[in-house]
Amino acid sequence: MVGKIFITRSGYDPEKGKHVKDPYLGPNPTMGACRPDIRKQLKIGDHIFAISGKLKGSNQFVMGGFSIVEKIPVQEAYERFPEQKLHTLEDGQLAGNIIVDRSGRQLNIDTHKPETIDQRVKNYVVGGDPICLETPKEIMLGRNETLDALREILKRKGGSPFEVVGRYGTLLTEEQVEGLRTWLESIKKRAIA
């Protein structure tokens, strides 16, 4: 078992920024169009963790993660996860991570370059065992602790999550996956107390 941790695009933050649509970190986590390199590289049993995007005046935080249970064709995902079909929210933002219609054609509201669609629809990830920071208190603790936790768990120096994790993310060992999960679980427990 290994894992990967990466930073979402600038401005994407579930509390203070744009809606994070991919990966979906809810009760049935999935990852569809984002980071085809990660979805190809990782295998069943591996883990994915996502960090919020850079946002002026706000600390980034590890939003959560999950294990990979399945990798399926996007057409199967289209049938199994109708709630993840790309759609527009009331505030105009996009939600969902299935960017094609039933026949595999790119949806006209999707903003990815058409020449990348073939790669973006491979290896749709179905996750399990999610651990996500959701409540305001959990997110506050995550914002306060993420940089130090990343430095400690990854054994790297840096003044920001980007400097610790890098542009393309970081491959995680089994020990680092367990360290991230343990730290996120501790935040959830402390947020209740």
Side-chain angles (χ1 to χ4, degrees):
M1 171 189 71
V2 296
K4 186 91 176 198
I5 187 166
F6 71 99
I7 299 171
T8 60
R9 291 176 63 187
S10 290
Y12 284 81
D13 184 296
E15 184 182 56
K16 297 182 178 184
K18 295 179 185 175
H19 174 71
V20 180
K21 62 185 180 295
D22 201 20
Y24 171 69
L25 296 173
N28 298 306
T30 58
M31 190 166 168
C34 181
R35 299 300 306 267
D37 58 320
I38 292 173
R39 292 182 287 111
K40 179 181 178 181
Q41 178 183 29
L42 296 181
K43 298 175 177 41
I44 292 171
D46 291 343
H47 289 253
I48 297 172
F49 294 90
I51 300 171
S52 63
K54 187 176 180 182
L55 198 62
K56 191 173 183 176
S58 190
N59 290 342
Q60 293 170 266
F61 71 103
V62 177
M63 298 181 295
F66 57 90
S67 65
I68 298 174
V69 175
E70 294 178 271
K71 291 166 77 171
I72 62 175
V74 72
Q75 282 80 12
E76 183 179 339
Y78 185 91
E79 298 300 327
R80 287 178 51 190
F81 305 102
E83 70 282 2
Q84 289 303 328
K85 295 173 189 173
L86 192 64
H87 60 281
T88 305
L89 299 172
E90 287 182 19
D91 64 2
Q93 294 189 76
L94 294 178
N97 58 24
I98 299 172
I99 60 172
V100 295
D101 64 18
R102 176 172 285 153
S103 64
R105 286 186 301 253
Q106 182 179 9
L107 296 170
N108 56 2
I109 62 172
D110 179 53
T111 58
H112 293 99
K113 294 178 183 175
E115 58 271 17
T116 69
I117 293 306
D118 287 345
Q119 291 304 311
R120 292 194 176 278
V121 298
K122 293 178 181 174
N123 300 307
Y124 187 92
V125 168
V126 179
D129 199 19
I131 177 109
C132 304
L133 303 184
E134 301 166 287
T135 70
K137 189 166 184 186
E138 290 172 355
I139 292 170
M140 179 197 70
L141 290 169
R143 286 189 198 283
N144 292 339
E145 299 176 17
T146 285
L147 185 55
D148 288 337
L150 290 174
R151 288 176 185 148
E152 182 179 327
I153 293 166
L154 301 181
K155 307 289 187 242
R156 292 185 179 175
K157 296 178 181 179
S160 69
F162 180 84
E163 290 178 8
V164 177
V165 172
R167 176 178 171 88
Y168 300 105
T170 294
L171 194 61
L172 303 168
T173 66
E174 183 172 351
E175 182 181 346
Q176 291 167 330
V177 166
E178 290 171 359
L180 280 166
R181 289 193 66 89
T182 298
W183 168 66
L184 289 168
E185 287 165 4
S186 80
I187 285 180
K188 292 186 83 62
K189 288 177 185 170
R190 284 182 283 132
I192 295 170

